[in-house]
Amino acid sequence: MSGPRFEVLIPHDRIQQRVAELGRQISIEYAGRSLVMVGVLKGSFMFLADLIRHIDVPLRIEFIGTKSYEGTTTSGQVQLTKDLDRPIQDEDVLLVEDIIDTGLTLNYLIHLLEQRQPRSLKTIAFLDKPSRRRIEVHGDYVGFTIEDRFVVGYGLDFEQRFRNLRDVCVLAP
Ligand code: 5GP
C-alpha cells in the first residue's frame, strides 16, 4: 500500500534562506535589547528553533499552547492549553506563530499577552493565509504568504503527523 503523496509548496532551501533573512532583520531591529520569544505550540517549534540560530541578541524562550474549536456560534473559540512559565512584564516580546489562518488564535494571544504588560509585543508568523481571515490581525514579520491550501511539514501537522517534513507541502488528493 502506498503512503500519502505530497506536493512541495516551499522547498527546504527556500525556507532556510527566508528564515535567515528574518533572523537578520530581527537582530537589527532589536539591537541593544533582549528578547523573550514566545513559541505557540506545537506548530511553531521548528521555525522557532531555526529562527533563533540567526538572532544575535540575548533572548529567552517561552512556550504557550492553544486549541481552537467551533462553538455553536459561527465564530471559532480559542482556549489556552499551556500558559507561560515566567512573567513577561517590561520585556520585549516576540510571539512566534506557525501560520495565521482565520487570525483568531493570534488575536486571542495578543490580547492575552498585552494584559501581562510587556514593554513591547510584536508577532512573527512563518506562514500567512490572508484570504482566510475572520478577524483583522496581521503579523509584524511574515515568512511566506500563501494561497488557501492546507499545508503540512516544517512543524505543521495533519492529525499530528508530517511535522517532520523538511519542506512545506500540500497533501495530494
Ligand atoms: P487561526 O485560524 O486561529 O489563525 O490558526 C489556528 C491554527 O490552525 C494555526 O496555528 C495552525 O496550527 C492551524 N492551521 C491553520 N491553517 C493550517 C494549515 O494550512 N495547515 C496546518 N497544518 N495547520 C493549520
Side-chain angles (χ1 to χ4, degrees):
M1 215 175 80
S2 64
R5 288 188 307 111
F6 302 103
E7 181 191 314
V8 175
L9 190 66
I10 312 171
H12 175 75
D13 290 357
R14 180 75 193 96
I15 294 172
Q16 292 305 319
Q17 196 182 39
R18 180 71 184 126
V19 171
E21 276 172 17
L22 288 167
R24 282 194 294 271
Q25 193 182 346
I26 290 165
S27 300
I28 291 166
E29 289 178 22
Y30 286 88
R33 293 191 270 165
S34 61
L35 264 175
V36 179
M37 313 256 314
V38 177
V40 184
L41 293 171
K42 299 176 185 167
S44 73
F45 77 96
M46 201 174 284
F47 176 48
L48 177 65
D50 281 346
L51 182 64
I52 60 172
R53 281 178 260 204
H54 298 281
I55 298 180
D56 61 11
V57 303
L59 58 84
R60 72 176 165 94
I61 302 294
E62 288 282 335
F63 287 103
I64 199 161
T66 59
K67 72 175 179 196
S68 18
Y69 58 91
E70 291 291 321
T72 48
T73 62
T74 49
S75 69
Q77 301 282 320
V78 182
Q79 195 182 321
L80 199 66
T81 55
K82 189 216 170 294
D83 205 341
L84 305 176
D85 292 330
R86 299 174 72 188
I88 54 166
Q89 188 167 8
D90 299 327
E91 305 271 16
D92 290 310
V93 175
L94 188 54
L95 183 61
V96 185
E97 261 276 33
D98 54 354
I99 184 166
I100 313 174
D101 185 32
T102 63
L104 294 169
T105 305
L106 192 60
N107 182 62
Y108 170 87
L109 288 173
I110 288 171
H111 283 96
L112 183 82
L113 296 185
E114 285 288 9
Q115 290 167 21
R116 316 268 173 98
Q117 301 176 310
R119 179 165 177 252
S120 69
L121 176 62
K122 285 198 172 189
T123 58
I124 179 166
F126 172 56
L127 299 173
D128 188 8
K129 278 199 271 193
S131 63
R132 293 255 310 159
R133 227 39 125 252
R134 284 160 64 172
I135 195 156
E136 184 58 44
V137 70
H138 70 276
D140 294 300
Y141 306 90
V142 168
F144 300 93
T145 299
I146 61 168
E147 304 285 306
D148 181 12
R149 314 279 301 269
F150 189 84
V151 291
V152 295
Y154 198 67
L156 289 104
D157 75 309
F158 173 64
E159 295 181 348
Q160 300 303 323
R161 294 173 64 204
F162 314 123
R163 292 191 199 275
N164 53 324
L165 298 177
R166 289 157 54 94
D167 310 306
V168 171
C169 298
V170 177
L171 270 176

